[in-house]
Each structure stands twice: as structure tokens, then as C-alpha cells.
Amino acid sequence: MSWGIIHFLFPYPEKVKYGKVILSKNNEVIGATLNTSDKWCLYSSLEDVDPFFIKAITQKEDKWFYYHFGINPISVFRAVFYNLTSQKRVSGASTITMQVVRLLEPKERTYLNKLKEVFRAYQLECTYSKDEILEMYINSIPFGGNIEGIKAATVLYLQKNPNALSTAESSMLSIIPNRPTSLSIQHQKEFLKSERDKWIVRYYEEGIISDDEKYSALLEPLHIKRENMPRTTPHLNRRLINKYPLDKVIKTNIDVGKQIKAEKIISKYSRRQSGLGIYNAAALIIDNKTNNVIAYIGSQDYDDDQNAGQIDGNLALRSPGSTLKPLIYALGFDRGILTPKLQILDVRHDFGSYSPVNYDEQFRGEVTVTEALKQSLNIPAVSILEKIGTPALINSLKNAGFNTIKRQEKRLGLSLALGGCGVNLTELTGLYAAFAQEGSYTPLHFTSAEIDSSKHQIVTPESAYMIYEILSQLKRPDFPNNYQNSFHAPPIAWKTGTSYGRRDAWSVGYNKEYTVGVWCGNFNNIGVPGLTGAETATPLLFSLFQSLYTGNNISKWEYDIPEHIFEREVCATSGKVPNIFCDHLVSDTFIPGVSHTEKCTHLKNYFVSTDSSFYYCHDCLPKEGGYIKKQYANPSVELMTFYLENNLPFNAPPQHNPKCRTSITGVAPQIISPVEGREYIITDKSTELEMKAHLSPDVAYTYWYVNDHFIKKIERGQSLFHQFKFGQNKISCTDDKGRNAEIYIFVK
Ligand SMILES: [Zn+2]
Ligand SMILES: [Zn+2]
């Protein structure tokens, strides 16, 4: 009872003050921090220390450690006796427990303090087990300079962990604690060796090593050299220390061999790129089987102060360029609106206030989904995003661990498809790791304690398969020019991205085993004319991928085709289910029950005059015959406009029978600007908006009305601008064939 009160009134004040130690997946020290007293004091459990060292140090310091209760009465009496009789102070009365007390609470050596220490030692023995006390001891014994504890000592002096000590090394380390200040490790190696040998012999005599062990230990040369604390992954270390402020040991999943290889490649590559004005680079490597982060390079060189090397490129929020496009296409596959060979439009299109162009400022009219993604075309990507909706994309990104997207959500629009948001390299690489795992995202594991293996199906396995098929094709415009040739390229799926203003070059790739993300650019955000995802980031991605395999030996992934993917024949012209007139068929993959089943309408039947100079409609078709049936191209209005504007020949039908009074043929105008239902915010009343429509090829003139007031008659190809009043506006367009279109917009 009274002991309990004393214990409560004078609780044990101190514990060992540890710095933090960061370990690789194989327990190599890859970083550490000083403790609050600026000492290298790193935690090691008793099991992680060579058993002979523990035996040696207890033998030497406190033979009866396991039998006493904190103080050894015989030694105390002996010490008191000697001190009283011979004036000379004799130590040796100190048990390991007493030493721990003194190491934790250093005090002047007076008899009163000695008494306090006895109390504390007893208290320590009551609070902790023998092994816990011994663990505190080996973790806090001074080893000279600012080194405390066995872990820091072995790492700094011997560049190894305390569980890998030889008998000679353990013996040597067992003699330093008693004279950490008087013994200079650097300058007294001879003396150190003779002391070591003396103790090796003594340990043999005391029966804790065998004759053989003694013999080989004595032969072992003395290797001791103080090196700097390892700092293999400085950016990652900082990230994890911030994330786990209370942990004294952080065990990462870093593969030191792969990390060092990657680091060297990046530093060398970055030096070359600096000639072009590109100074920073970062990369992340993930093991797809475990979702472990096995290499983490935050910048080309942590110590490159001139180029802000301390910034962590894995955490920096940057524009992703085109790197989100595969996700948009994958969502399109899953909605059924896309299949790889479906033809989609690549024509000038105004998405409200947003009117993107392609990287080469060209439009291709129509392209397959595969080509559109391979060539990273902008209009198709934005159109698909418009169809699936930005909330769907944002939701998928959130499920794929894009944590920062939540904060940006309110201001994100269709420009997301082209990189109009902020992401970091970690998030982006995590997304591609999901593509490598059948569309299922699992949080990345930076440490061995992070074991969340929950799966979030971002896209279906079928969709992920189709994306892999597209992104693993080598013939594509973003294949790096300066890369030797496609023969040397690793067989991986990858996608590049270049942000607006050429500030960020991305390249993220994956195969079955690994996902690698690469970013190049400048942390100070300066754009560089020569910077592109293809030329700047991809060669680095390829090198990093190859460094993961010995002899650059990467075999192509034998992708297991998912259950619900099937092949079907489609019309080569449209990529849709063939109609009777579709004579050129190709094979395409699709997801039954999901993918579109629209029949091809690439041709249309017309009844035309015998000279094919005009066609008959249902009303004017001569009953007596004298006409022939012919097929003509049947493109959408947008595509037809594209053909006409670019003078591209297409199999257009002839004009309608000029003698026919029925005029309801052809296609009505389609107003494309302003955009139907959109809210336009104008700061100045005099702001004019363009009025524009897609027209049928037989149209020469259009008549425009705003709120039922006639505005102007314009010729095909002419443009028209108008000042709108605030509030709702009705816009109508009538073509010279009497076909009409109307839309509403709101002006603020
Ligand atoms: Zn067809
Ligand atoms: Zn007719």
C-alpha cells in the first residue's frame, strides 16, 4: 500500500529518448533522426540484437542481473567498504538497473543521490520486467560522441544491424560503454584491439564462448569506422515521420537494391535534362502483387539546394496533363458507349466556353476509340467525359485514392480530361496500379504496418483489359524519338501526359509485376519548350522499368482475358454492329449486355434519277419507275460539316428532286454556339456571343432569330455575333429549306 503511494507520488519520470529509425523491407536502416537531445539513439528490441553481445555485456557489467532486485547488496557493501577504507572511489557496485537509472536521470554523484538511485532502481524493477530493463540498457548505453545504444552504434561504426555482429565485434562493442569518453574509436584502434582481445579471452575463460569462437574472433581484424547515418529515402522518411509522429521505428517496404538503382538512373538522367532547362524529376515504383511502395524518389537529389531538391515530387500537386484519359475511356467502356474499334468524332467542338484543340492543332474527323486514346486526342476525351459526366470521373478518382480532388471538386469541369486539376505522382501511380490489377484499387502500402488491402473496383476487369490492349501498343505518336527503337522498349502499357504550358512531363507504366510513375519538370513551375511526356518522361520510365529486371529481361504480360469479354464482327467504317450494306468487317472486343448494339448507319439507301443527278423522296417517287436504288454516305451533321469545311470528298447523296414540293428532308440545323441550356456569365453588357450551327450540305443560307425577333440572314460559313439581354434568351435558326432549330440560354 505505502509502496503504491510512493510510486504514485514519484512516478518513474523518464523513458529512453529515442530518435526515429526508418527501415527498409529487409530491415536495413535507410534513415534516422536525432532524439530531442541531439543524440543518435535508435530503438532495437532485445531479439534484434546478437545474443552473444547481450551475454557479453551482462557478463561484464552485471553477472547477477537476473537474480537481484535492482541493487546487488554484496557489491554495495564491498564498494562502501573500499570507499571508506581507501579514499579511492570504487565503482562496480552499479547493477545494470542502476546504470539505467543513471542514464535516464543523470545526477551528481553524492551519497544522497546514490540513495535516490537505489530507490529508483527498486522502482524500475517493480515496474518493468528484467528483459525490459535490459532492453532500456542496451538502447541507452553511451558509445562515444553523440551515439547512444547498440543500434546507433552498430549502424554508425560497423554499418550493420546489431543482429549481425561477429563474436569479435560484440566483444569490441562490449568494452566501449565503460569508457565512452576516454576511448577514441578513431585514434586508438590499436588499444581498442588489444582490449578487445583481452575480453575475448576473458569471455572464453568465463565459459560464454567456445575455444573455436575465441580462436577465430582473435584472428578477426578490427574494422571500425564512423560513417554518416544512412539517408537512402530522405523524402519518404520525412513523409512517414510526419504521418507517424509517435513511432520510434518505421518499417517501410523499400527494396534498397531497386531504390539505389532507380536513384542513380534518375540523377544521371536529370543531369542530362538540365541542359534543356528541366531540373527536377521524381518517381515511384509499386509492386503490384502487394501494393507495396518499393522505391520512392522525391527529387533528382535531396541536397540540390539550387533546384529545391528537398521538395517531394511525389507529393507536389501538379496538373496531370493527359494521364487521366485512360480512366475516362475505361469508364466509357463500362458505360457501354465505347468499344475499341468504334469510330468517334474528332472535329472542332465548342463545349460552352471551352473549345479544346489537339496537340498538333489538327482534327481527324473520325477515329477509332483505340486511336483516339493512343494518340491522346483531346476532343474525343472531352466528349466522352461530357457523356459520362464529371461527377462520375471525380467519384472514381476519389475511390482510387485521389484525396486532394475533394478539395478541388467545386471548380472542376470538362477540362479535367486534359489535366485541369491537381494530382500528385503518388495518386497517379496508384491509379495505374489499379489498371494493372483488373481495375481494382488497393491503397498503397508505404510501411509494413499499412496492411489495408480493401479493394475498390474503379473499372471492370473487362474495361481494364481493353485499356491494357490499347496502352501496350508500341506504334504511337508518344513513343520517344530519342529512344533507340521500339525493339528496346520494355513490353509494358503506359500513358504520357504533358501539362498546359509544358510545365509537367508525366509517364506512368505498368505490367503484371510493377507500376512505375515518373514526373519531370521544374518545382518552380517554369515551363520548358522542349518538355513533353513522350520525350522527357518516357525514356526515364523505360529505363526505370528495365532496372527492375536483371539483364533488362522483361517478358510480355500474358494477360488473362477476363470472363465477360468477347469478340464480335463490326463494320470497319463505323465500329458498330454491321448492317446488310456493311461489306468491310473487322473483329472487335465487347462486353455482352453492356457494350452498345447500335446498328451501323454508315450508308443510306436513296432512289435516284437514272443519271444520279437528284434523288426522289417518298412523295415524288415516280410510280412508273425510271429510278435506281443507290447507297450514299450518311455521316452525322458534325462530320459532314467537317468534310465540307475541309473540302474532303465523301460519297454525298445528290440534291433532292428540284420539282418536288415536299421539303421536309435532310437534317435541320443544329445550333452549336451558344450551347443549349448553358448559363453565360458576362461582365460587360456589350459582350457578344457567337451564334453558329451545323448545317446540312444542301443549305446555303440561314436566318437567325433571338427571342423571336429576326436578327440576320447569313451565308454558309459566315459568322454572326450578338449582344444578348440578361435573363433567358431564345435563339432560333431556320435554314433555306425551312428547317428550324431553337435553343434557350441564360445570360447573367
Ligand atoms: Zn457500316
Ligand atoms: Zn421529293
Side-chain angles (χ1 to χ4, degrees):
M1 184 64 196
S2 59
W3 169 250
I5 292 167
I6 295 170
H7 194 58
F8 179 77
L9 290 176
F10 306 96
Y12 208 84
E14 294 276 347
K15 288 205 166 155
V16 182
K17 285 191 224 153
Y18 291 110
K20 290 173 187 304
V21 58
I22 294 105
L23 304 175
S24 74
K25 71 164 186 176
N26 294 325
N27 293 316
E28 295 124 308
V29 173
I30 54 173
T33 60
L34 293 162
N35 70 8
T36 48
S37 315
D38 281 339
K39 299 269 170 55
W40 290 117
C41 177
L42 309 177
Y43 174 77
S44 172
S45 72
L46 220 47
E47 299 88 73
D48 287 337
V49 179
D50 180 66
F52 172 66
F53 173 78
I54 295 178
K55 230 189 267 174
I57 199 95
T58 31
Q59 182 72 18
K60 180 164 165 294
E61 297 295 321
D62 188 359
K63 255 179 251 191
W64 308 108
F65 172 67
Y66 280 98
Y67 307 98
H68 61 62
F69 51 92
I71 47 170
N72 182 344
I74 300 163
S75 326
V76 171
F77 285 130
R78 198 178 56 200
V80 169
F81 175 77
Y82 276 113
N83 286 344
L84 289 179
T85 53
S86 69
Q87 306 302 318
K88 204 175 82 184
R89 291 206 165 202
V90 173
S91 62
S94 279
T95 61
I96 282 179
T97 317
M98 296 284 285
Q99 290 190 46
V100 171
V101 168
R102 274 206 298 276
L103 288 167
L104 295 182
E105 269 184 296
K107 283 195 167 71
E108 233 182 283
R109 291 199 147 185
T110 64
Y111 281 103
L112 182 63
N113 282 339
K114 194 101 182 163
L115 217 60
K116 277 184 191 166
E117 280 166 15
V118 169
F119 164 70
R120 283 300 195 201
Y122 182 62
Q123 198 180 15
L124 205 63
E125 291 277 342
C126 294
T127 315
Y128 298 102
S129 72
K130 282 285 181 189
D131 280 350
E132 283 170 329
I133 294 167
L134 191 56
E135 191 180 270
M136 282 187 228
Y137 179 62
I138 57 148
N139 279 317
S140 52
I141 39 186
F143 276 97
N146 61 346
I147 303 174
E148 283 181 356
I150 185 71
K151 179 89 174 178
T154 57
V155 170
L156 291 170
Y157 287 139
L158 302 170
Q159 294 75 52
K160 55 164 74 174
N161 273 329
N163 63 353
L165 300 175
S166 68
T167 306
E169 286 166 338
S170 285
S171 306
M172 176 197 71
L173 289 170
S174 74
I175 58 174
I176 303 177
N178 274 24
R179 34 200 159 176
T181 41
S182 61
L183 191 72
S184 164
I185 279 139
Q186 305 288 9
H187 305 111
Q188 291 170 270
K189 285 195 183 155
E190 281 304 306
F191 175 65
L192 194 58
K193 185 169 181 307
S194 72
E195 283 293 287
R196 178 198 80 172
D197 292 350
K198 206 167 89 191
W199 276 94
I200 290 171
V201 173
R202 197 178 293 182
Y203 291 143
Y204 165 70
E205 285 163 1
E206 290 177 5
I208 61 169
I209 53 173
S210 69
D211 198 17
D212 285 351
E213 283 168 326
K214 176 193 80 177
Y215 186 69
S216 57
L218 288 172
L219 282 179
E220 192 177 300
L222 186 101
H223 282 303
I224 185 165
K225 185 165 187 261
R226 173 149 188 188
E227 296 280 1
N228 288 331
M229 189 54 82
R231 208 185 51 177
T232 319
T233 50
H235 297 93
L236 176 65
N237 297 351
R238 193 179 55 201
R239 180 174 178 164
L240 293 177
I241 287 167
N242 288 334
K243 192 172 173 188
Y244 300 108
L246 301 175
D247 290 16
K248 49 188 188 281
V249 180
I250 300 172
K251 185 163 156 48
T252 69
N253 292 314
I254 291 295
D255 179 321
V256 170
K258 291 185 165 71
Q259 168 78 27
I260 288 173
K261 256 196 210 174
E263 219 172 76
K264 279 187 182 149
I265 290 169
I266 289 173
S267 120
K268 196 171 151 200
Y269 186 80
S270 218
R271 275 200 297 276
R272 281 214 308 272
Q273 292 286 309
S274 64
L276 299 169
I278 305 163
Y279 297 101
N280 299 115
L284 191 70
I285 303 179
I286 294 163
D287 179 338
N288 293 339
K289 269 196 292 296
T290 55
N291 287 296
N292 287 350
V293 171
I294 58 165
Y296 188 108
I297 294 100
S299 77
Q300 70 294 338
D301 177 5
Y302 193 80
D303 297 321
D304 183 358
D305 290 337
Q306 215 175 345
N307 299 302
Q310 277 155 35
I311 291 180
D312 186 349
N314 267 298
L315 281 175
L317 220 52
R318 319 278 317 183
S319 158
S322 297
T323 50
L324 298 180
K325 283 178 185 166
L327 179 59
I328 295 171
Y329 280 75
L331 294 172
F333 287 137
D334 280 335
R335 289 281 177 96
I337 58 172
L338 303 181
T339 41
K341 298 236 167 93
L342 180 73
Q343 295 279 346
I344 50 174
L345 285 175
D346 180 35
V347 298
R348 188 178 298 284
H349 188 86
D350 192 352
F351 299 90
S353 53
Y354 184 51
S355 173
V357 291
N358 286 323
Y359 63 93
D360 56 1
E361 291 174 18
Q362 302 284 313
F363 294 100
R364 287 151 186 78
E366 254 189 340
V367 284
T368 63
V369 165
T370 299
E371 279 306 308
L373 177 54
K374 242 170 77 178
Q375 299 188 31
S376 201
L377 299 178
N378 288 340
I379 308 284
V382 179
S383 303
I384 299 164
L385 179 57
E386 195 179 36
K387 284 193 189 112
I388 60 172
T390 47
L393 177 64
I394 292 169
N395 205 36
S396 296
L397 290 171
K398 281 190 204 161
N399 286 334
F402 286 69
N403 293 322
T404 46
I405 217 88
K406 286 174 207 156
R407 274 178 269 139
Q408 311 165 36
E409 202 167 344
K410 283 197 186 112
R411 54 181 180 81
L412 298 178
L414 288 177
S415 66
L416 253 176
L418 311 180
C421 61
V423 307
N424 67 42
L425 181 59
T426 308
E427 295 169 335
L428 209 52
T429 315
L431 171 67
Y432 279 73
F435 278 118
Q437 296 170 69
E438 300 186 312
S440 165
Y441 170 79
T442 300
L444 301 181
H445 301 151
F446 290 89
T447 72
S448 65
E450 295 173 355
I451 47 167
D452 178 3
S453 53
S454 57
K455 289 183 183 302
H456 307 263
Q457 201 71 41
I458 308 301
V459 298
T460 64
E462 289 73 26
S463 182
Y465 168 75
M466 292 192 264
I467 293 294
Y468 175 79
E469 285 292 299
I470 298 172
L471 296 184
S472 57
Q473 294 181 18
L474 288 179
K475 274 183 120 180
R476 51 202 262 184
D478 64 347
F479 194 85
N481 282 327
N482 53 5
Y483 209 75
Q484 299 103 316
N485 59 48
S486 57
F487 181 75
H488 293 284
I492 58 169
W494 87 99
K495 180 77 190 80
T496 59
T498 310
S499 71
Y500 180 75
R502 296 182 182 258
R503 295 193 178 99
D504 307 273
W506 304 89
S507 200
V508 192
Y510 61 95
N511 66 358
K512 190 178 181 168
E513 286 102 22
Y514 300 105
T515 304
V516 180
V518 167
W519 171 86
C520 299
N522 289 317
F523 287 140
N524 63 11
N525 232 356
I526 288 178
V528 180
L531 177 143
T532 65
E535 299 303 333
T536 312
T538 304
L540 183 53
L541 172 75
F542 286 180
S543 304
L544 289 175
F545 233 104
Q546 281 162 339
S547 78
L548 295 169
Y549 294 83
T550 43
N552 298 344
N553 217 352
I554 313 178
S555 50
K556 194 167 161 56
W557 183 2
E558 298 295 338
Y559 206 113
D560 288 331
I561 300 172
E563 239 179 293
H564 297 295
I565 211 128
F566 289 88
E567 296 263 320
R568 69 177 175 189
E569 303 245 278
V570 294
C571 169
T573 313
S574 66
K576 293 179 183 168
V577 174
N579 217 318
I580 32 170
F581 48 73
C582 303
D583 47 7
H584 184 195
L585 304 183
V586 288
S587 180
D588 192 16
T589 46
F590 79 116
I591 314 169
V594 174
S595 299
H596 58 89
T597 51
E598 226 181 308
K599 272 217 158 166
C600 178
T601 53
H602 90 268
L603 291 181
K604 191 175 166 186
N605 286 319
Y606 287 84
F607 295 109
V608 295
S609 57
T610 44
D611 62 352
S612 301
S613 63
F614 59 88
Y615 74 88
Y616 297 105
C617 75
H618 189 264
D619 292 334
C620 62
L621 190 69
K623 303 232 167 11
E624 65 281 6
Y627 54 84
I628 49 173
K629 191 174 156 187
K630 256 182 133 170
Q631 287 168 336
Y632 290 94
N634 183 31
S636 63
V637 186
E638 294 96 331
L639 189 57
M640 197 152 27
T641 310
F642 175 79
Y643 288 150
L644 293 168
E645 277 176 0
N646 292 282
N647 296 317
L648 294 170
F650 72 105
N651 182 17
Q655 59 163 328
H656 181 207
N657 177 8
K659 285 179 191 145
C660 176
R661 289 195 208 127
T662 308
S663 62
I664 321 136
T665 56
V667 189
Q670 187 190 345
I671 300 172
I672 54 164
S673 173
V675 174
E676 166 135 48
R678 202 172 290 253
E679 239 181 47
Y680 286 85
I681 298 158
I682 55 174
T683 44
D684 180 356
K685 261 192 169 174
S686 62
T687 306
E688 294 188 322
L689 296 175
E690 189 179 15
M691 301 205 287
K692 203 176 162 188
H694 280 316
L695 305 172
S696 192
D698 55 352
V699 173
Y701 292 100
T702 47
Y703 303 85
W704 289 84
Y705 303 82
V706 171
N707 299 322
D708 298 321
H709 291 291
F710 175 65
I711 305 294
K712 204 177 174 188
K713 170 188 175 186
I714 59 163
E715 262 180 69
R716 169 186 278 282
Q718 266 186 346
S719 52
L720 174 63
F721 288 87
H722 183 75
Q723 287 177 22
F724 288 88
K725 69 169 178 59
F726 288 122
Q728 176 143 295
N729 287 273
K730 174 182 171 188
I731 305 166
S732 334
C733 171
T734 305
D735 69 16
D736 54 9
K737 300 287 185 289
R739 292 168 298 211
N740 184 55
E742 58 182 45
I743 62 160
Y744 290 87
I745 62 165
F746 198 85
V747 178
K748 282 210 284 200

